[in-house]
Amino acid sequence: MVTVVGVRLKRAGKIYSYKPGTLEIEIGDKVIVETARGMECGTVVIGPREVDEAELEEPLKVVHRLANASDLERVEENKQKAKDAFAIGKKKIAEHGLEMKLVGVEYTFDMSKIIFYFTADGRVDFRELVKDLASVFRTRIELRQIGVRDEAKIVGGIGCCGRPLCCASFLEEFVPVSIHMAKEQNLSLNPTKISGICGRLMCCLKYESGCYCNGGGSCPQKKKVQEPEQGSRVGTSGGDGKVIAVNAQRHTATILLDNNQTVVEGWDSLQEPSAAEAPTAEESTAAENRRHRAPADKERKERRERKEHNGKRREPRAHKERRPRKPHENGGREEEHRNAKRRPRREGRSGHERKDRRNASSHRGSRRQNTAPDSTREDRD
């Protein structure tokens, strides 16, 4: 067994285990410990406890010493310098015209490094920016790109519940959150209602997810009491009915009985519906169709009665009988009937023949006029 203590380096940060060594450490003490970034000042949040060595993943480091007054002063100076570095870094980013947003600046305890946290839509070439910042601060510069959740954790804020953000208050690390968790809890799938200020799904959806799952998904254990499905038929002390709502927190269900009464029963008291009274699938479908058609049928019946009362109902029109065709001499065919109405032409004479006949008749008339005086002259002689 090994004695360890839990040390937190940042607000709502991850807890790291260290060996206290010969120091007497209590919860709330400020200690100086060695990290991957160098010496850091942290707060003891978990007191000394015995842990099996098999549970430890790697050899633990020993707490360097307890923090004194000068160490605490240096921590406050680093916070003030970080604010000044934030203003300078924001100005340099604007001068270089980079598409990035500066979120926070952090000094290490020994001031050997300055870390700039930023967000960006894609990759950013900040090599010239690092050189410019190094020439100003004369120390090592590190630019670290983070996500929108980490940005909310650093900046902080107030959530839709009116309380400080969970990630900035007590969450040590982010857990995966899926839309399936919101569906299990019968929440509105409107993104504006289930998303946090970071634009991602709220972390609090994970808190009650284990109470709603029914033996599947991310639930580690199956519930002892089977949750009734909404829309299924169950039996109660007052008769059979249909489940219209389920309360997973209280393990109760709201049931609409066959006599149109609504009752709330616990899951333990629910029974299988009686087979004699339970309608079949065809009967349920037919009853549902009749229920949907009832308003329309009633409206049509009222409209019909109103028309009969006002005398506006029209009698069906009688079909007009079609007059039979008269038979024709040439067989009754329509084309021959139309041709028969036309004026018959003289047979044997074409247009040119008729013209020649008219010309010949005109010549004979002129010949008679010329011969008439001569004939009279002969008679006188």
Side-chain angles (χ1 to χ4, degrees), residues 78-122:
N78 291 346
K79 291 182 180 179
Q80 185 61 35
K81 290 181 179 180
K83 294 180 180 179
D84 300 337
F86 183 86
I88 296 174
K90 196 172 183 180
K91 180 179 179 182
K92 293 297 182 180
I93 291 174
E95 291 178 358
H96 288 271
L98 299 177
E99 295 294 333
M100 54 190 295
K101 177 185 177 183
L102 189 62
V103 176
V105 180
E106 181 183 358
Y107 270 82
T108 58
F109 178 74
D110 54 2
M111 300 183 63
S112 61
K113 183 191 296 184
I114 306 176
I115 304 174
F116 291 84
Y117 299 96
F118 71 94
T119 59
D121 295 336

Side-chain angles (χ1 to χ4, degrees), residues 292-308:
H292 286 294
R293 289 198 306 265
D297 295 342
K298 183 178 180 181
E299 184 179 355
R300 284 195 293 268
K301 184 178 180 181
E302 292 178 354
R303 192 185 303 115
R304 192 184 306 112
E305 293 177 354
R306 196 162 45 248
K307 285 184 178 181
E308 292 177 356

Side-chain angles (χ1 to χ4, degrees), residues 49-181:
R49 70 186 190 281
E50 298 293 332
V51 179
D52 190 1
E53 294 184 2
E55 299 179 0
L56 303 177
E57 298 179 358
E58 57 184 11
L60 299 181
K61 296 180 180 180
V62 182
V63 176
H64 188 66
R65 59 183 171 85
L66 293 173
N68 50 32
S70 61
D71 296 333
L72 300 179
E73 290 179 2
R74 177 179 291 186
V75 172
E76 296 298 329
E77 290 177 1
N78 291 346
K79 291 182 180 179
Q80 185 61 35
K81 290 181 179 180
K83 294 180 180 179
D84 300 337
F86 183 86
I88 296 174
K90 196 172 183 180
K91 180 179 179 182
K92 293 297 182 180
I93 291 174
E95 291 178 358
H96 288 271
L98 299 177
E99 295 294 333
M100 54 190 295
K101 177 185 177 183
L102 189 62
V103 176
V105 180
E106 181 183 358
Y107 270 82
T108 58
F109 178 74
D110 54 2
M111 300 183 63
S112 61
K113 183 191 296 184
I114 306 176
I115 304 174
F116 291 84
Y117 299 96
F118 71 94
T119 59
D121 295 336
R123 299 186 62 180
V124 180
D125 185 7
F126 48 76
R127 288 175 292 182
E128 296 298 330
L129 176 62
V130 172
K131 294 178 181 179
D132 198 357
L133 293 175
S135 63
V136 174
F137 296 103
R138 299 295 180 178
T139 185
R140 293 179 58 189
I141 303 297
E142 179 181 349
L143 270 73
R144 185 176 299 177
Q145 186 173 359
I146 60 177
V148 290
R149 281 191 164 186
D150 296 307
E151 178 185 3
K153 186 179 183 68
I154 294 174
V155 176
I158 303 297
C160 60
C161 58
R163 297 177 60 86
L165 298 180
C166 299
C167 57
S169 302
F170 58 89
L171 281 183
E172 300 177 4
E173 55 185 9
F174 296 104
V175 294
V177 183
S178 63
I179 193 66
H180 182 66
M181 298 178 182

